[in-house]
Amino acid sequence: MPAKAPPGLTLLEGREALREWSAEIPDGTSLGFVPTMGSLHEGHLSLARQAASTCSKAVVSIFVNPLQFGDPEDFSRYPRDPLADCALLADAAVDAVYLPAAADMEASIRRRPAEGPAAERWEAEFRPGHCEGMLTVVGEFFRQVGATHAFFGEKDAQQLFLVREMAAASFPGLEVVSCPTVREPDGLALSSRNARLTADDRKLALALPESLAVLAGGWEGGERGIAVLEEILAASLKREGVQVDYASLVDDPTFHPAGPSLSGPWRACVAARVGGVRLIDNLLLGGP
Ligand code: AMP
């Protein structure tokens, strides 16, 4: 834990501190909230900056959520650096960082995704319990923080879809704002997990953005057959050393598998393991 907050940043260590800080905020003030698991990079910071620039107050949480990791090893190896994170958040002009203790996040309500493919397929299929664990903790944060706006990265598109569904059903006053994926100059989406890639695996990881770029090329060339587009995506993603979990086109508004009865736009979603590191990425076809 950071011993002292950097100038301009209020450290909220535990739920009581959050309560006291929130009580000082006048009614009617817009409050932006960004949940993170820390080990912050430019992707997280783009969300934090957007929260700080669009809301009167902004708070970022750092909590490595054990409920959303199926594999205890993955949880224990998840990178943690709260000191560096707080310095970055102070630079991003957020007002406060919420660092709950594990006991603060023991949720009284277990949240499940609404029925449908987003509850069962893709991340839900390959990471059993992940979506429930993520929604349970994000829902608990929403309850505790009482924000007017919550900021999520488009990089985790299925998460964003599920959070929007939960917010619409259970947090009617909350606006969920999506923020574009921040990438390295070579196209790899920033992720806290990238730090665990060896130099060789870092090159192999480019299979994810490259396969999406190949797909975009097919789309821009006029290809509209869903099966053909999925084949283009899968063929480009498949390489020695890249273990593909899925490479699918989904209907962006509903997160159902893309199909003739739906009108799109389609989002291509990929997930693969490279040297034991699981990476995801996605692209909206025909998007900006
Ligand atoms: P995490 O700490 O991985 O749980 O991520 C916290 C938030 O940051 C989530 O809303 C993510 O979608 C978002 N995020 C993670 N990586 C990126 C990225 N490369 N670009 C934009 N947002 C991101």
Side-chain angles (χ1 to χ4, degrees):
M1 279 304 155
K4 187 167 158 287
L9 186 73
T10 303
L11 281 191
L12 305 171
E13 295 191 74
R15 190 164 175 194
E16 197 43 45
L18 172 71
R19 226 180 249 134
E20 285 167 16
W21 182 78
S22 305
E24 300 290 309
I25 299 177
D27 285 349
T29 306
S30 58
L31 173 60
F33 171 55
V34 183
T36 81
M37 297 204 296
S39 190
L40 302 181
H41 51 61
E42 265 306 308
H44 301 113
L45 296 174
S46 70
L47 271 56
R49 284 192 210 99
Q50 193 168 339
S53 63
T54 53
C55 296
S56 303
K57 292 265 179 206
V59 56
V60 174
S61 65
I62 298 179
F63 180 65
V64 184
N65 171 18
L67 296 183
Q68 72 186 67
F69 287 83
D71 173 3
E73 276 250 326
D74 195 24
F75 172 69
S76 62
R77 279 189 320 209
Y78 199 84
R80 293 162 170 88
D81 193 351
L83 209 70
D85 289 345
C86 286
L88 292 168
L89 291 173
D91 283 349
V94 306
D95 299 283
V97 55
Y98 177 32
L99 301 159
D104 295 323
M105 297 312 297
E106 275 169 14
S108 51
I109 302 172
R110 300 238 150 238
R111 296 190 192 264
R112 300 198 182 293
E115 278 177 17
E120 289 159 15
R121 300 195 53 181
W122 308 298
E123 291 304 287
E125 179 183 345
F126 286 90
R127 301 182 72 189
H130 167 78
C131 295
E132 288 83 354
M134 178 277 294
L135 287 176
T136 297
V137 163
V138 170
E140 184 57 27
F141 271 124
F142 284 176
R143 217 167 63 76
Q144 293 185 20
V145 175
T148 56
H149 298 73
F151 297 78
F152 287 82
E154 212 179 314
K155 167 164 177 284
D156 298 275
Q158 188 172 354
Q159 165 175 286
L160 175 60
F161 176 85
L162 293 172
V163 167
R164 275 196 200 288
E165 260 189 351
M166 175 176 72
S170 306
F171 300 92
L174 177 67
E175 185 179 333
V176 175
V177 183
S178 80
C179 304
T181 301
V182 178
R183 298 175 181 280
E184 301 277 10
D186 63 7
L188 184 67
L190 296 188
S191 163
S192 309
R193 292 165 193 263
N194 293 354
R196 283 177 26 215
L197 293 166
T198 63
D200 284 346
D201 289 338
R202 170 71 182 68
K203 287 184 201 140
L204 265 182
L206 286 178
L208 281 85
E210 283 173 7
S211 66
L212 294 169
V214 169
L215 175 70
W219 176 266
E220 280 150 25
E223 181 58 60
R224 293 294 182 269
I226 290 160
V228 178
L229 290 165
E230 282 188 326
E231 186 46 44
I232 292 173
L233 181 65
S236 170
L237 181 59
K238 211 163 140 193
R239 301 173 194 191
E240 205 176 321
V242 176
Q243 190 195 323
V244 177
D245 278 355
Y246 57 81
S248 308
L249 257 57
V250 306
D251 177 56
D252 192 54
T254 62
F255 242 83
H256 278 244
S261 61
L262 298 162
S263 53
W266 313 135
R267 185 177 293 275
C269 298
V270 292
R273 286 161 212 271
V274 182
V277 180
R278 190 169 185 282
L279 301 171
I280 61 172
D281 202 347
N282 69 83
L283 180 75
L284 188 66
L285 286 177

